Amino acid sequence: NLGLLKKLKKNNPDLVIGRSASFTDDKYGTISSLNDMGVNTYVQLSSKMDTEQSLDNIITDIKNIGKIFDIQEKANKYADNLNAKLDNIKTKVSDLNSDTKNVMIMVNYSDGQFGVFGANASLQTKMLETINAKNVSEKGGQLSIENLISLNPDAIVYVKANKNSKNDETAVKSLLDNKLIQNVSAIKDKNIIEVEYTELMGYSFRNFDCLEKIAKGLYPDTFK
């Protein structure tokens, strides 16, 4: 990737930090190619699809980055605050007497077609499990109104993204107004939780805010 090579030479970084999927020739460059150029790398543990995932891995990433930059005390304090937030959410959910909530993670809704993030999105699925919820879609991809009716989620987490901003402006209203899906539980109960892509897929502290936002949508009486 000549463009990447020129950019690296211009900026001359000592370290590249990013998610696992970004270390490819057409993005940041492979780990080996970066190392050959004298650039160190840190792959976020929380982004690895072949690793057992949990929000604890984001906390580990923060502590590891603290070690890399020799700011362990600040990093550990911040990690402890996130851990306390996570424990608080878990405690509130564990006190509930509630059935598991079926959730669809939807993106880019338009004219009855949309995409979903499936249960193979490891960290995001674990986030749902943390709040006693289940991703109803096993795999990500494009779905239709018929799929939505068949899967019948209790709630929809609608993910807004810059690249889909045109559709996202009217997506939730279009969903709620669609006469074909009025018997879908999430539509009937108007339970659509809007989140930003960077909140759900950022592999960072924002995932904890996103988790709390989804929990509030699923359990409004508990998370006020």
Side-chain angles (χ1 to χ4, degrees), residues 88-141:
N88 181 52
I89 293 171
K90 287 180 177 178
T91 298
K92 286 183 177 180
V93 172
S94 67
D95 290 340
L96 289 168
N97 183 20
S98 172
D99 293 333
T100 300
K101 301 286 188 179
N102 290 318
V103 175
M104 176 177 284
I105 303 179
M106 181 186 292
V107 64
N108 199 25
Y109 178 85
S110 179
D111 297 327
Q113 300 293 319
F114 53 91
V116 295
F117 296 146
N120 56 327
S122 306
L123 180 63
Q124 290 67 36
T125 291
K126 287 296 182 181
M127 286 172 65
L128 292 180
E129 290 178 4
T130 299
I131 51 177
N132 192 30
K134 175 187 176 184
N135 190 333
V136 296
S137 304
E138 290 187 10
K139 294 183 178 180

Coordinates of all heavy atoms in Angstrom, one line a residue, residues 88-141:
N88 N -21.5 -2.1 38.8 CA -22.8 -1.5 39.2 C -23.9 -1.9 38.2 O -25.0 -2.3 38.6 CB -22.6 0.0 39.1 CG -23.9 0.7 39.5 OD1 -24.5 0.4 40.6 ND2 -24.4 1.7 38.7
I89 N -23.6 -2.0 36.9 CA -24.6 -2.4 35.9 C -24.9 -3.9 36.2 O -26.1 -4.3 36.2 CB -24.0 -2.2 34.5 CG1 -23.9 -0.7 34.2 CG2 -24.9 -2.9 33.5 CD1 -23.2 -0.4 32.9
K90 N -23.9 -4.7 36.4 CA -24.1 -6.1 36.6 C -25.0 -6.4 37.9 O -25.9 -7.2 37.9 CB -22.8 -6.9 36.8 CG -22.0 -7.0 35.5 CD -20.7 -7.8 35.8 CE -19.9 -8.0 34.5 NZ -18.6 -8.7 34.8
T91 N -24.7 -5.6 38.9 CA -25.5 -5.8 40.2 C -27.0 -5.4 39.9 O -27.9 -6.2 40.4 CB -24.9 -4.9 41.3 OG1 -23.6 -5.3 41.5 CG2 -25.7 -5.0 42.5
K92 N -27.2 -4.3 39.2 CA -28.6 -3.9 39.0 C -29.4 -5.0 38.2 O -30.5 -5.3 38.5 CB -28.6 -2.6 38.3 CG -28.3 -1.4 39.1 CD -28.4 -0.1 38.4 CE -28.2 1.1 39.3 NZ -28.3 2.4 38.5
V93 N -28.7 -5.5 37.2 CA -29.3 -6.6 36.3 C -29.5 -7.9 37.1 O -30.6 -8.5 37.0 CB -28.5 -6.8 35.1 CG1 -29.0 -8.0 34.3 CG2 -28.4 -5.6 34.2
S94 N -28.6 -8.2 37.9 CA -28.7 -9.5 38.7 C -29.9 -9.4 39.7 O -30.4 -10.4 40.1 CB -27.4 -9.8 39.4 OG -27.1 -8.8 40.4
D95 N -30.2 -8.2 40.1 CA -31.3 -8.0 41.1 C -32.7 -8.1 40.4 O -33.7 -8.1 41.1 CB -31.2 -6.7 41.8 CG -30.0 -6.7 42.8 OD1 -29.6 -7.8 43.2 OD2 -29.6 -5.6 43.2
L96 N -32.7 -8.1 39.1 CA -34.0 -8.1 38.3 C -34.5 -9.5 38.2 O -33.8 -10.5 38.1 CB -33.8 -7.6 36.9 CG -33.5 -6.1 36.8 CD1 -33.1 -5.7 35.4 CD2 -34.8 -5.3 37.1
N97 N -35.8 -9.7 38.2 CA -36.5 -10.9 37.9 C -37.0 -10.9 36.5 O -38.2 -10.6 36.4 CB -37.5 -11.2 39.0 CG -38.2 -12.6 38.8 OD1 -37.6 -13.5 38.1 ND2 -39.4 -12.8 39.3
S98 N -36.2 -11.0 35.5 CA -36.6 -10.8 34.2 C -36.1 -11.9 33.3 O -35.0 -12.4 33.4 CB -36.0 -9.4 33.7 OG -36.2 -9.2 32.3
D99 N -37.0 -12.2 32.3 CA -36.5 -13.2 31.3 C -35.5 -12.5 30.4 O -35.4 -11.3 30.3 CB -37.7 -13.5 30.4 CG -38.8 -14.3 31.1 OD1 -38.4 -15.0 32.1 OD2 -40.0 -14.3 30.8
T100 N -34.7 -13.3 29.7 CA -33.7 -12.8 28.8 C -34.3 -12.0 27.7 O -35.3 -12.5 27.1 CB -32.9 -14.0 28.2 OG1 -32.2 -14.7 29.2 CG2 -31.8 -13.5 27.2
K101 N -33.8 -10.9 27.4 CA -34.3 -10.0 26.3 C -33.7 -10.4 25.0 O -32.5 -10.5 24.9 CB -34.0 -8.5 26.6 CG -34.6 -8.0 28.0 CD -36.1 -7.8 27.9 CE -36.6 -7.1 29.2 NZ -38.0 -6.9 29.1
N102 N -34.6 -10.5 24.0 CA -34.1 -10.8 22.6 C -33.9 -9.5 21.9 O -34.8 -8.7 21.8 CB -35.1 -11.6 21.9 CG -35.2 -13.1 22.4 OD1 -34.1 -13.7 22.7 ND2 -36.4 -13.6 22.6
V103 N -32.6 -9.3 21.4 CA -32.3 -8.0 20.9 C -31.7 -8.1 19.5 O -31.0 -9.1 19.2 CB -31.2 -7.3 21.8 CG1 -30.7 -6.0 21.1 CG2 -31.7 -7.0 23.2
M104 N -32.1 -7.2 18.6 CA -31.5 -7.2 17.2 C -30.7 -5.9 17.1 O -31.1 -4.8 17.5 CB -32.6 -7.1 16.2 CG -32.1 -7.0 14.7 SD -33.4 -7.0 13.5 CE -33.8 -8.8 13.5
I105 N -29.4 -6.1 16.7 CA -28.6 -4.9 16.4 C -28.6 -4.6 15.0 O -28.1 -5.3 14.1 CB -27.1 -5.3 16.9 CG1 -27.1 -5.7 18.3 CG2 -26.2 -4.0 16.7 CD1 -25.7 -6.1 18.8
M106 N -29.3 -3.5 14.7 CA -29.7 -3.2 13.3 C -28.9 -1.9 12.8 O -28.6 -1.0 13.6 CB -31.2 -2.9 13.2 CG -31.7 -2.5 11.8 SD -33.4 -2.0 11.8 CE -34.2 -3.5 12.2
V107 N -28.6 -1.9 11.5 CA -27.9 -0.7 11.0 C -28.4 -0.5 9.6 O -28.9 -1.4 8.8 CB -26.4 -1.0 10.9 CG1 -26.0 -2.2 10.0 CG2 -25.6 0.3 10.5
N108 N -28.5 0.8 9.2 CA -28.8 1.2 7.8 C -30.1 0.7 7.3 O -30.2 0.1 6.2 CB -27.7 0.8 6.9 CG -27.7 1.5 5.6 OD1 -28.1 2.7 5.5 ND2 -27.1 0.9 4.5
Y109 N -31.2 1.0 8.1 CA -32.6 0.6 7.6 C -33.0 1.5 6.5 O -33.0 2.8 6.6 CB -33.5 0.7 8.8 CG -35.0 0.4 8.4 CD1 -35.4 -0.9 8.4 CD2 -35.9 1.4 8.1 CE1 -36.7 -1.3 8.0 CE2 -37.2 1.1 7.7 CZ -37.6 -0.3 7.7 OH -38.8 -0.6 7.3
S110 N -33.6 0.9 5.4 CA -34.1 1.7 4.3 C -35.1 0.8 3.5 O -34.6 -0.3 3.0 CB -33.0 2.2 3.4 OG -33.5 3.0 2.4
D111 N -36.3 1.2 3.4 CA -37.3 0.5 2.5 C -37.4 -0.9 2.8 O -37.4 -1.8 1.9 CB -36.9 0.7 1.0 CG -37.0 2.2 0.6 OD1 -37.9 2.9 1.2 OD2 -36.2 2.6 -0.2
G112 N -37.4 -1.3 4.1 CA -37.6 -2.7 4.5 C -36.4 -3.5 4.4 O -36.4 -4.7 4.7
Q113 N -35.2 -3.0 4.1 CA -34.0 -3.7 4.0 C -33.0 -3.1 5.1 O -33.1 -1.9 5.3 CB -33.3 -3.6 2.7 CG -34.1 -4.2 1.5 CD -34.3 -5.7 1.7 OE1 -33.4 -6.4 2.0 NE2 -35.5 -6.2 1.4
F114 N -32.2 -3.9 5.7 CA -31.3 -3.4 6.7 C -30.2 -4.4 6.9 O -30.2 -5.6 6.5 CB -32.0 -3.1 8.0 CG -32.8 -4.3 8.5 CD1 -32.3 -5.2 9.4 CD2 -34.2 -4.5 8.1 CE1 -33.0 -6.3 9.8 CE2 -34.9 -5.6 8.5 CZ -34.3 -6.5 9.4
G115 N -29.1 -4.0 7.6 CA -28.1 -4.9 8.0 C -28.2 -5.1 9.5 O -28.8 -4.4 10.3
V116 N -27.5 -6.2 9.9 CA -27.5 -6.6 11.4 C -26.0 -7.0 11.7 O -25.3 -7.4 10.9 CB -28.4 -7.7 11.7 CG1 -29.9 -7.3 11.6 CG2 -28.1 -9.0 11.0
F117 N -25.7 -6.8 13.0 CA -24.5 -7.3 13.5 C -24.9 -8.6 14.3 O -25.7 -8.6 15.2 CB -23.8 -6.3 14.5 CG -23.4 -5.0 13.9 CD1 -23.4 -3.9 14.6 CD2 -22.9 -5.0 12.6 CE1 -23.0 -2.7 14.0 CE2 -22.5 -3.8 12.0 CZ -22.5 -2.7 12.8
G118 N -24.3 -9.7 13.8 CA -24.6 -11.0 14.4 C -23.9 -11.3 15.7 O -23.1 -10.6 16.2
A119 N -24.3 -12.5 16.2 CA -23.7 -13.0 17.4 C -22.2 -13.3 17.3 O -21.5 -13.4 18.3 CB -24.5 -14.2 17.9
N120 N -21.7 -13.3 16.0 CA -20.3 -13.6 15.8 C -19.5 -12.3 16.1 O -18.3 -12.3 16.1 CB -20.0 -14.1 14.4 CG -20.6 -13.2 13.3 OD1 -21.6 -12.5 13.5 ND2 -19.9 -13.1 12.2
A121 N -20.2 -11.2 16.3 CA -19.5 -10.0 16.8 C -19.2 -10.1 18.3 O -20.0 -9.8 19.1 CB -20.3 -8.7 16.5
S122 N -18.1 -10.7 18.6 CA -17.9 -11.3 19.9 C -18.1 -10.4 21.1 O -18.9 -10.7 22.0 CB -16.4 -11.8 20.0 OG -16.2 -12.7 19.0
L123 N -17.4 -9.2 21.1 CA -17.5 -8.3 22.2 C -19.0 -7.8 22.4 O -19.5 -7.7 23.5 CB -16.6 -7.1 22.0 CG -16.6 -6.1 23.2 CD1 -16.2 -6.7 24.5 CD2 -15.7 -4.9 22.8
Q124 N -19.6 -7.4 21.2 CA -20.9 -6.8 21.3 C -22.0 -7.9 21.8 O -22.9 -7.5 22.6 CB -21.4 -6.3 19.9 CG -20.6 -5.1 19.5 CD -19.1 -5.4 19.2 OE1 -18.7 -6.4 18.7 NE2 -18.3 -4.4 19.5
T125 N -21.8 -9.1 21.5 CA -22.6 -10.2 22.0 C -22.4 -10.4 23.5 O -23.4 -10.5 24.3 CB -22.4 -11.5 21.3 OG1 -22.8 -11.4 19.9 CG2 -23.1 -12.7 21.9
K126 N -21.2 -10.3 24.0 CA -20.9 -10.4 25.4 C -21.5 -9.2 26.1 O -21.9 -9.3 27.3 CB -19.4 -10.5 25.6 CG -18.8 -11.8 25.2 CD -19.4 -12.9 26.1 CE -18.7 -14.2 25.8 NZ -19.3 -15.4 26.6
M127 N -21.5 -8.0 25.5 CA -22.1 -6.8 26.1 C -23.6 -7.1 26.4 O -24.1 -6.8 27.5 CB -22.0 -5.6 25.2 CG -20.6 -5.0 25.2 SD -20.4 -3.7 23.9 CE -21.6 -2.5 24.6
L128 N -24.3 -7.7 25.4 CA -25.7 -8.0 25.6 C -25.9 -9.1 26.7 O -26.8 -9.0 27.6 CB -26.3 -8.5 24.3 CG -26.4 -7.5 23.2 CD1 -27.1 -8.2 22.0 CD2 -27.3 -6.3 23.6
E129 N -25.0 -10.1 26.7 CA -25.1 -11.1 27.8 C -24.9 -10.5 29.2 O -25.5 -11.0 30.1 CB -24.1 -12.2 27.5 CG -24.4 -13.0 26.3 CD -23.3 -14.1 26.0 OE1 -22.4 -14.2 26.8 OE2 -23.5 -14.8 25.0
T130 N -24.1 -9.5 29.3 CA -23.9 -8.9 30.6 C -25.1 -8.3 31.2 O -25.3 -8.2 32.4 CB -22.8 -7.7 30.4 OG1 -21.6 -8.3 29.9 CG2 -22.5 -7.0 31.7
I131 N -26.1 -7.9 30.3 CA -27.3 -7.3 30.8 C -28.5 -8.2 30.5 O -29.6 -7.8 30.3 CB -27.6 -5.9 30.2 CG1 -27.4 -5.9 28.7 CG2 -26.6 -4.9 30.8 CD1 -27.7 -4.6 28.0
N132 N -28.3 -9.5 30.5 CA -29.3 -10.5 30.4 C -30.1 -10.4 29.1 O -31.3 -10.4 29.0 CB -30.3 -10.5 31.6 CG -31.1 -11.8 31.6 OD1 -30.8 -12.8 31.1 ND2 -32.4 -11.6 32.1
A133 N -29.3 -10.2 28.0 CA -29.9 -10.1 26.7 C -29.2 -11.0 25.7 O -28.1 -11.4 25.9 CB -29.9 -8.6 26.2
K134 N -29.9 -11.2 24.6 CA -29.4 -12.2 23.6 C -29.5 -11.6 22.2 O -30.6 -11.0 21.9 CB -30.1 -13.5 23.6 CG -29.8 -14.5 22.6 CD -30.7 -15.7 22.6 CE -30.4 -16.7 21.4 NZ -31.4 -17.8 21.4
N135 N -28.5 -11.7 21.4 CA -28.5 -11.3 20.0 C -29.3 -12.3 19.2 O -28.9 -13.5 19.1 CB -27.1 -11.1 19.4 CG -27.0 -10.4 18.1 OD1 -28.0 -10.5 17.3 ND2 -25.9 -9.8 17.8
V136 N -30.4 -11.9 18.6 CA -31.3 -12.8 17.9 C -30.7 -13.2 16.5 O -31.2 -14.2 15.9 CB -32.7 -12.3 17.7 CG1 -33.4 -12.1 19.0 CG2 -32.7 -11.0 16.9
S137 N -29.7 -12.5 16.0 CA -29.2 -12.8 14.7 C -27.8 -13.5 14.9 O -26.9 -13.0 15.5 CB -28.9 -11.5 13.9 OG -30.1 -10.8 13.8
E138 N -27.8 -14.8 14.4 CA -26.5 -15.5 14.6 C -25.4 -14.9 13.8 O -24.2 -14.9 14.3 CB -26.8 -17.0 14.1 CG -27.7 -17.8 15.1 CD -27.8 -19.2 14.7 OE1 -27.0 -19.7 13.8 OE2 -28.6 -19.9 15.3
K139 N -25.6 -14.5 12.6 CA -24.6 -13.9 11.7 C -25.0 -12.5 11.2 O -26.1 -12.3 11.1 CB -24.3 -14.8 10.6 CG -23.7 -16.2 10.9 CD -23.4 -17.0 9.7 CE -22.7 -18.4 10.1 NZ -22.4 -19.2 8.9
G140 N -24.0 -11.7 11.0 CA -24.2 -10.4 10.5 C -24.5 -10.5 9.0 O -24.2 -11.5 8.3
G141 N -25.1 -9.4 8.5 CA -25.4 -9.4 7.0 C -26.7 -8.6 6.8 O -27.2 -7.9 7.6

